[in-house]
């Protein structure tokens, strides 16, 4: 059923695909994460590539009263290399442990299987962007699409600085152990980009099991974000 759903969505043999998944969104899956990964491998084949994030990050942790006084809006622990579980979800955590999967280095590393797996693992999602790859979002939306971050170098410093925590906060939560932010925009800028991508035909969707699944043209969609960051960043982030 999963294979048929992927094919109806437009997933094809030889594609490069960045995968993000909420396994629970499907409902019951016999065999769990392994079944979904095997379905992906079967449809895409070794002439294609599957990439998943292996970011060494915990889920978002509760913001306590002391954190609020520091102005924090987001608090995530950076995990050790041998941590079994991460915020990436059971599918990504299962994928990175497979013997035929290659994982890159660093906190924001990527795991890859298939054609040019070593290159994908070393370059993160950049090679997929450059090569016209796709993102497969299963039970999640554009806010899980990690490749979007790759164009945020074009974000104005004035907006970047709003996210930066104070020195006082950094003294308590050092950068080597924590990922923290001090601002959450009231606008949802990535949903604006998602809507525009739909309008331009860069996103297709279908239902597999109980999960809404989207196939996203990564290069063109992140380019929409880049253009918005260059042309209308303050409007995009609800600052005007």
């Amino acid at each position: 059923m999963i294979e048929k759903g992927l094919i109806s969505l437009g997933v094809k043999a030889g594609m490069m695909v960045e995968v993000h998944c909420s396994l629970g969104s499907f409902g019951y899956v016999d065999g769990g994460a392994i079944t979904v990964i095997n379905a992906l491998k079967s449809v895409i084949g070794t002439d294609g590539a599957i990439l998943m994030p292996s970011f060494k990050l915990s889920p978002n942790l509760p913001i306590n009263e002391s954190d609020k006084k520091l102005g924090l809006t987001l608090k995530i622990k950076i995990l050790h290399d041998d941590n079994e579980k991460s915020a990436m979800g059971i599918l990504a955590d299962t994928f990175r442990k497979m013997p035929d999967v290659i994982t890159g280095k660093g906190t924001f590393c990527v795991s890859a299987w298939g054609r040019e797996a070593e290159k994908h693992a070393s370059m993160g999602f950049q090679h997929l962007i450059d090569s016209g790859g796709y993102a497969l979002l299963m039970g999640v939306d554009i806010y899980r699409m990690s490749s979007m971050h790759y164009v945020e170098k074009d974000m104005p410093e004035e907006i970047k600085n709003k996210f930066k925590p104070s020195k006082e906060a950094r003294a308590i939560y050092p950068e080597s152990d924590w990922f923290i932010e001090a601002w959450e925009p009231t606008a949802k800028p990535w949903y604006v980009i998602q809507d525009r991508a739909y309008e331009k035909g860069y996103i297709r969707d279908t239902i597999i099991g109980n999960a809404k699944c989207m196939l996203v043209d990564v290069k063109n969609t992140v380019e929409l974000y880049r253009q918005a960051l260059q042309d209308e960043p303050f409007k995009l982030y609800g600052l005007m």
Side-chain angles (χ1 to χ4, degrees):
M1 183 190 72
I2 294 171
E3 288 183 18
K4 288 180 180 178
L6 292 171
I7 291 167
S8 72
L9 182 58
V11 180
K12 299 177 182 178
M15 274 187 170
M16 299 181 192
V17 181
E18 166 191 354
V19 177
H20 302 273
C21 176
S22 168
L23 183 62
S25 67
F26 287 104
Y28 175 73
V29 177
D30 187 14
I34 294 292
T35 296
V36 178
I37 293 167
N38 286 341
L40 287 164
K41 288 181 175 180
S42 176
V43 173
I44 291 169
T46 54
D47 286 338
I50 299 169
L51 289 73
M52 296 192 200
S54 291
F55 302 169
K56 299 181 179 75
L57 302 175
S58 76
N60 293 4
L61 298 174
I63 300 293
N64 59 38
E65 289 302 316
S66 297
D67 296 331
K68 290 177 183 177
K69 290 178 181 178
L70 291 168
L72 297 188
T73 59
L74 180 69
K75 182 172 70 173
I76 294 172
K77 189 78 172 67
I78 296 175
L79 303 174
H80 298 295
D81 287 346
D82 58 355
N83 203 281
E84 289 293 311
K85 295 182 179 179
S86 74
M88 302 303 103
I90 188 170
L91 197 86
D93 286 342
T94 302
F95 180 72
R96 68 178 162 85
K97 297 171 190 172
M98 289 181 159
D100 55 352
V101 170
I102 298 173
T103 298
K105 300 183 183 300
T107 300
F108 297 98
C109 58
V110 168
S111 295
W113 171 90
R115 181 165 55 91
E116 298 185 305
E118 290 186 5
K119 188 171 186 177
H120 285 296
S122 67
M123 294 181 65
F125 293 115
Q126 189 62 56
H127 183 46
L128 178 135
I129 295 170
D130 295 341
S131 303
Y134 291 81
L136 178 61
L137 310 178
M138 299 189 288
V140 297
D141 59 32
I142 198 168
Y143 268 90
R144 287 287 295 274
M145 189 171 136
S146 304
S147 52
M148 288 280 284
H149 289 296
Y150 281 55
V151 297
E152 288 183 332
K153 60 182 179 294
D154 288 331
M155 181 184 289
E157 290 299 318
E158 186 176 341
I159 296 178
K160 289 181 184 178
N161 289 337
K162 292 183 75 66
F163 290 100
K164 289 182 179 178
S166 65
K167 290 183 180 179
E168 182 183 6
R170 270 294 173 215
I172 298 170
Y173 297 109
E175 195 168 3
S176 58
D177 298 318
W178 294 89
F179 180 80
I180 55 175
E181 289 182 347
W183 180 60
E184 183 178 2
T186 54
K188 294 292 184 182
W190 287 18
Y191 285 147
V192 173
I193 304 304
Q194 181 173 282
D195 288 344
R196 292 177 183 177
Y198 262 115
E199 290 170 2
K200 290 185 173 291
Y202 300 156
I203 301 178
R204 298 178 58 180
D205 64 46
T206 193
I207 302 296
I208 304 176
N210 296 328
K212 178 180 178 180
C213 299
M214 297 189 287
L215 185 65
V216 185
D217 179 326
V218 170
K219 185 174 184 178
N220 283 319
T221 299
V222 298
E223 185 58 30
L224 289 176
Y225 187 33
R226 186 201 307 275
Q227 290 173 359
L229 288 173
Q230 293 174 344
D231 299 340
E232 50 177 346
F234 298 100
K235 179 180 178 182
L236 186 68
Y237 276 82
L239 295 173
M240 62 177 294

